[in-house]
Each structure stands twice: as structure tokens, then as C-alpha cells.
């Protein structure tokens, strides 16, 4: 097989699957068929990564680079998208919307994130970003009968469009000063020959990127959009959307021999510190779990930035392992919430979980594992993720960042424990609960719970694969 065809096979299969779902809908609407075709397409794209792996490294024109790093992140994104599809099926069954188009949007958004992962040029960056963003506008407001969903979609549309224009202006400034649209040498250039227009361009570009990552001060949309979007879409935003963008800046700014220094290093350090503290402090006052997880996600992106700023041989692997652990954990948390939600509404308030252990002990146990992993408690994936981030920071003597990480993580423990206390409290209040366990979501939750402990107890296979892939960065 031609090498270019082999490496582009995952992206081509994703596009073909979206087309197949569209044609299937045109023939006859069938929710099960649309979901099944989507899962088959995601699976085919995942296994085509093995074919692509035999032809790497390979560059497609000047726009895309396919190496171990991009294939690893594509695998993570495809797995996350597949779990979102499994969680979505019963959620959509309980609602009166047209369900089938949801899967086309998921496929297109995932394709956009995969393009971001392989981008090495401003044009592919912007194309991937827009493909992801336009799909998210519709996904966030997919439940049209709910006002809060429409409001969240409009808010995301306005802010994302603004941030895209700022990003485009920043990229233009960088091109004007450096004369290149290639991302591969940008970090080295910034560390050695940074000029004011170049720094200004990078800051404007990072405004657009920071919006997607929801780091401080570009985080204002996060709690409202998390609260208004359907639960599976919130899980998608927290994993595929943020993962694609973080993989891009990791390729863009990572330095193998040293960490980020100079103006860029200082600005990103301030953003990381502000994100860790602001996310955890604002989550303390929330009573809606979707909003708590929204603020928590801001802090978690700050933790991942610590590894990016630290750089060196441990920086990129630590950030990637942390994201893999976070993907697994947050998908599981939203999975529990999806199973507990019914046609009457989503189970998002802390009061909905009061006494859950005495009514649904298995779900309470799974949710407990997810919350403990988010808090970074030993034996879970979240603990090892934080351990690798701290090791990366310590190897480059980033003590201020590490001190903030430890303090803010301690603050974060409080709101996770508040949810746990509500779940294990005995209550006489009768809260209507669904008693059936939807099969697709239950299977997804069981796998995710197992992965939480597998990644927390036996990290070697994934860690070694990540370290090997990170060596190809550049």
C-alpha cells in the first residue's frame, strides 16, 4: 500500500463513516443503525492506525505529520469518542430529538481533533480547529427543547468565533515576523530570537488555544457550557476537544532538552498557576456536579500545563499520561451521571446523589473510584498522572509550579469529598431513581472503572508506549 495512503487511512475512514451515516439516514432513520455504523467506523479507524504505524514517519505535504506521537493521540481520541457514543445511545433514546445526526457531528468533531493532533502548519491547525468547533456548536445545543442547552450553544458560538478571529490574527503576526507557517521550530525560535511582534502573535494565538483548553483567563464559558450541554457532549468536550488541542500545543511548544523559558515560559507559568488555583477555589462553592467538574477541568488543564512548561525528557510523556488518566476518569464520572439521568432531566445536583450508596451501591462505588482518581488518591490512574507531572516538574526545578499544584490539589480534595459525603449519607428523602442499567453505558462504565485501577497499578505498558512516541516529537 502506498505510504501516504496508509498514514491517511484513519482520517479517510472517519470521513467515510460520517458519509455512510448520512446516507443511512437518507434511506431510513434508525437510531441503532446510526450508532452501530459510528462504532464500526471508529473501530475501523482505530485498527487502521496499525496499518499507518508501518509507514511512519511520513509527512503529507506541508500540512500534516504522521509519527508515533500523532498516532498515539489519535488512538486516545478514537477511544474517547467510542465511549461517548456508548454513553449517548440511551441518553438520546430518552429524548425526542432527531438522534441520528448526533453521530455525524461526533464523527466530524473527532476528525477535526485528529487533524489538530497531526498538524504542523497554520493552515491545518485552523482547518482542524474549525471542523471541531462548528460541530461542537450544534452538539452543545442538540437538545433543542431545553432552553439552557440553546443558551449554552449560543454562548459557545459567540465566544469561540471571537477566539478564532484572535487566533487567526496571532498566526498572521507570527508569519509576518518569522516568515514561516511551520510549527516545528517555533519553540526553539521563541527561546532564542523572540521579538515583540513574535511574542504578541504567540500570545494572541494562545488566546484562541487557551479558550479551547478553558484555562484562566479564557475559562469563563466553561461552567455554563458544561451545565447546558447534554451530558455525553460535556464528556466529549472534556476529552476529545481538549485532548486534540493540548496535543497540538505539546507538539508546538515542547522542548526535549530544557523547559520553556523567557516571556513565553513566564506567561504560561502564570496561566498554569491561575488555572490550578481559580479552578479549585471556584469549585468549592458549587452545588451542581457538572459545574464542579467544569471548574475542576480548569485546574486539571493547569496541572497538565506544568508538565508542558517543565519540558525535558519527562515533560511530554508526563502530560500525555496525565491526559490519558484524566480522559478515563472524567468519561467514567460523566458515565455514572448519564446512567442516573432519565427523560425527566439530568442528575446533576449534589442532592440527586444524596444517599446513592444505599440505593445504587454499584454506581456509587464506580463514582467513588472516579472522584478519588480525580483527586489523585493512590491506586488510581489520577495518582500516577500527578506523580509523573510532579516528577517532570522536579526534574527541571519548577518548584513554584509544583508548590501550587500540591496546594491546589489539597483544596480540590474538599469538593470531591463533599460529593462522597452526600453519596454515603443516610437519608429518609425519597428520590425517584431509574432501576434499569442501559447495556451500552454499563459496558462503557465497567471498562472505564477497570482502566482507572489498571492505569493506577500497572502503568508500564502505556508509559513505555508514551515515552517511545514522545521521542518523535518535533
Amino acid at each position: 500500500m502506498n505510504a501516504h495512503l496508509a498514514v491517511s487511512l484513519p482520517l479517510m475512514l472517519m470521513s467515510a463513516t460520517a458519509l455512510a451515516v448520512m446516507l443511512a439516514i437518507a434511506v431510513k432513520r434508525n437510531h441503532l443503525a446510526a450508532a452501530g455504523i459510528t462504532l464500526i467506523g471508529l473501530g475501523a479507524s482505530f485498527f487502521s492506525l496499525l496499518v499507518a504505524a508501518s509507514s511512519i514517519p511520513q509527512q503529507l505535504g506541508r500540512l500534516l505529520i504522521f509519527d508515533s506521537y500523532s498516532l498515539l493521540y489519535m488512538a486516545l481520541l478514537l477511544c474517547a469518542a467510542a465511549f461517548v457514543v456508548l454513553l449517548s445511545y440511551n441518553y438520546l433514546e430518552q429524548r425526542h430529538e432527531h438522534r441520528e445526526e448526533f453521530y455525524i457531528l461526533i464523527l466530524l468533531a473527532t476528525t477535526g481533533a485528529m487533524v489538530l493532533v497531526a498538524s504542523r502548519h497554520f493552515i491545518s491547525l485552523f482547518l482542524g480547529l474549525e471542523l471541531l468547533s462548528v460541530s461542537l456548536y450544534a452538539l452543545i445545543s442538540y437538545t433543542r427543547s431545553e432552553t439552557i442547552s440553546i443558551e449554552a450553544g449560543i454562548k459557545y458560538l459567540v465566544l469561540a468565533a471571537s477566539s478564532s478571529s484572535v487566533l487567526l490574527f496571532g498566526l498572521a503576526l507570527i508569519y509576518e515576523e518569522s516568515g514561516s507557517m511551520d510549527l516545528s521550530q517555533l519553540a526553539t525560535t521563541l527561546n532564542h530570537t523572540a521579538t515583540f511582534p513574535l511574542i504578541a502573535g504567540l500570545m494572541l494565538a494562545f488566546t484562541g488555544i487557551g479558550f479551547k483548553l478553558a484555562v484562566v483567563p479564557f475559562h469563563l464559558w466553561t461552567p455554563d457550557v458544561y451545565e447546558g450541554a447534554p451530558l455525553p457532549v460535556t464528556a466529549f468536550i472534556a476529552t476529545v476537544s481538549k485532548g486534540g488541542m493540548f496535543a497540538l500545543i505539546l507538539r508546538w511548544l515542547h522542548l526535549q532538552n530544557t523547559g520553556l523559558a523567557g516571556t513565553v515560559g513566564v506567561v504560561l507559568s502564570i496561566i498554569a498557576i491561575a488555572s490550578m488555583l481559580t479552578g479549585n477555589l471556584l469549585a468549592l462553592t458549587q452545588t451542581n456536579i457538572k459545574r464542579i467538574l467544569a471548574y475542576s477541568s480548569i485546574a486539571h488543564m493547569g496541572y497538565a500545563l506544568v508538565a508542558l512548561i517543565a519540558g525535558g525528557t519527562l515533560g511530554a510523556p508526563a502530560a500525555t499520561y496525565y491526559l490519558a488518566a484524566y480522559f478515563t476518569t472524567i468519561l467514567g464520572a460523566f458515565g455514572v451521571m448519564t446512567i442516573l439521568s432519565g427523560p425527566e432531566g439530568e442528575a446533576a445536583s449534589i442532592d440527586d446523589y444524596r444517599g446513592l450508596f444505599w440505593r445504587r451501591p454499584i454506581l456509587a462505588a464506580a463514582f467513588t473510584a472516579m472522584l478519588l482518581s480525580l483527586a489523585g488518591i493512590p491506586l488510581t490512574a489520577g495518582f500516577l498522572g500527578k506523580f509523573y507531572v510532579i516528577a517532570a516538574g522536579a526534574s527541571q526545578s519548577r518548584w513554584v509550579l509544583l508548590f501550587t499544584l500540591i496546594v491546589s490539589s489539597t483544596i480540590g480534595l474538599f469538593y470531591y469529598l463533599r460529593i462522597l459525603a452526600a453519596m454515603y449519607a443516610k437519608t429518609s428523602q425519597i428520590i425517584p431513581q431509574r432501576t434499569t442499567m442501559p447495556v451500552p453505558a454499563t459496558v462503557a462504565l465497567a471498562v472505564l472503572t477497570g482502566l482507572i485501577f489498571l492505569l493506577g497499578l500497572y502503568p508500564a505498558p502505556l508509559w513505555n508506549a508514551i515515552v517511545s512516541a514522545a521521542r518523535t516529537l518535533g
Side-chain angles (χ1 to χ4, degrees):
M1 182 182 288
N2 178 281
H4 283 182
L5 178 62
V7 295
S8 56
L9 200 54
L11 290 173
M12 292 169 65
L13 283 171
M14 289 294 288
S15 305
T17 307
L19 188 60
V21 176
M22 198 182 304
L23 291 173
I25 295 171
V27 174
K28 184 178 181 181
R29 284 192 171 275
N30 186 306
H31 185 198
L32 182 60
I37 295 171
T38 304
L39 281 175
I40 291 170
L42 290 169
S45 185
F46 180 85
F47 287 108
S48 72
L49 294 174
L50 299 175
V51 178
S54 62
S55 302
I56 57 172
Q58 195 71 228
Q59 190 167 329
L60 273 186
R62 298 172 62 186
L63 300 184
L64 300 174
I65 176 73
F66 291 89
D67 50 19
S68 299
Y69 175 80
S70 55
L71 297 191
L72 175 71
Y73 264 96
M74 284 183 184
L76 289 176
L77 298 179
L78 287 167
C79 289
F83 280 116
V84 169
V85 170
L86 288 172
L87 297 177
S88 302
Y89 184 77
N90 280 86
Y91 183 91
L92 293 173
E93 276 287 295
Q94 298 165 354
R95 280 154 181 82
H96 301 294
E97 311 294 340
H98 286 310
R99 303 163 183 124
E100 293 79 8
E101 286 83 355
F102 181 89
Y103 301 101
I104 299 175
L105 294 169
I106 288 286
L107 288 164
L108 293 177
T110 307
T111 307
M114 290 167 68
V115 170
L116 284 177
V117 163
S119 292
R120 67 170 303 160
H121 198 275
F122 290 173
I123 292 176
S124 51
L125 183 165
F126 200 71
L127 286 175
L129 178 66
E130 288 305 295
L131 184 56
L132 173 63
S133 298
V134 172
S135 304
L136 283 178
Y137 301 153
L139 281 170
I140 290 168
S141 53
Y142 201 80
T143 49
R144 293 172 298 167
S145 57
E146 297 178 18
T147 308
I148 191 171
S149 183
I150 299 292
E151 181 184 332
I154 292 173
K155 182 172 288 188
Y156 190 81
L157 168 65
V158 172
L159 293 176
S162 305
S163 70
S164 290
S165 61
V166 173
L167 169 69
L168 203 56
F169 184 50
L171 295 180
L173 277 179
I174 295 171
Y175 174 66
E176 170 66 21
E177 188 64 15
S178 67
S180 171
M181 291 189 180
D182 198 313
L183 299 170
S184 59
Q185 299 301 317
L186 191 57
T188 307
T189 305
L190 286 167
N191 261 9
H192 294 94
T193 59
T195 59
F196 177 74
L198 197 60
I199 295 294
L202 184 73
M203 292 302 109
L204 290 173
F206 198 79
T207 300
I209 293 170
F211 174 85
K212 279 285 174 220
L213 293 177
V215 291
V216 175
F218 317 110
H219 65 289
L220 297 177
W221 61 273
T222 317
D224 292 340
V225 170
Y226 268 50
E227 185 180 9
L231 270 166
V233 176
T234 313
F236 187 86
I237 295 171
T239 52
V240 178
S241 174
K242 291 188 177 184
M245 187 52 77
F246 199 92
L248 173 81
I249 63 165
L250 198 55
R251 180 190 289 282
W252 187 357
L253 296 177
H254 176 70
L255 292 172
Q256 287 286 4
N257 300 321
T258 181
L260 283 173
T263 308
V264 176
V266 171
V267 170
L268 285 182
S269 297
I270 293 171
I271 289 175
I273 291 170
S275 298
M276 289 186 279
L277 291 174
T278 305
N280 281 317
L281 287 172
L282 292 180
L284 292 175
T285 59
Q286 305 300 317
T287 56
N288 182 298
I289 295 181
K290 287 177 85 176
R291 293 183 76 86
I292 289 176
L293 294 179
Y295 283 115
S296 160
S297 76
I298 296 168
H300 282 283
M301 285 300 108
Y303 302 152
L305 278 180
V306 172
L308 167 66
I309 296 163
T313 54
L314 281 178
T320 304
Y321 194 92
Y322 190 85
L323 286 180
Y326 180 70
F327 281 13
T328 309
T329 308
I330 201 69
L331 282 168
F334 283 120
V336 174
M337 295 176 72
T338 304
I339 291 175
L340 288 171
S341 299
E344 69 283 351
E346 295 180 346
S349 167
I350 288 183
D351 288 336
D352 294 330
Y353 294 79
R354 202 166 297 284
L356 180 68
F357 175 75
W358 308 102
R359 293 176 276 116
R360 308 288 294 273
I362 295 176
L363 284 179
F367 204 30
T368 300
M370 304 306 166
L371 293 174
L372 292 179
S373 182
L374 284 171
I377 299 300
L379 305 182
T380 63
F383 171 75
L384 275 184
K386 276 187 183 161
F387 171 79
Y388 287 133
V389 169
I390 290 172
S395 69
Q396 297 293 323
S397 302
R398 302 283 179 164
W399 304 118
V400 176
L401 288 171
L402 293 182
F403 176 75
T404 310
L405 188 155
I406 292 168
V407 170
S408 61
S409 295
T410 309
I411 295 170
L413 266 176
F414 177 79
Y415 56 80
Y416 294 127
L417 290 176
R418 194 154 61 98
I419 302 172
L420 288 175
M423 282 200 301
Y424 288 89
K426 285 195 174 180
T427 175
S428 56
Q429 184 183 359
I430 299 174
I431 300 174
Q433 292 283 331
R434 296 175 61 228
T435 54
T436 56
M437 296 275 281
V439 175
T442 304
V443 170
L445 184 59
V447 173
L448 290 167
T449 306
L451 284 174
I452 290 288
F453 293 106
L454 181 65
L455 295 180
L457 293 170
Y458 187 50
L462 180 59
W463 174 255
N464 292 337
I466 290 172
V467 170
S468 175
R471 292 197 189 104
T472 65
L473 266 176

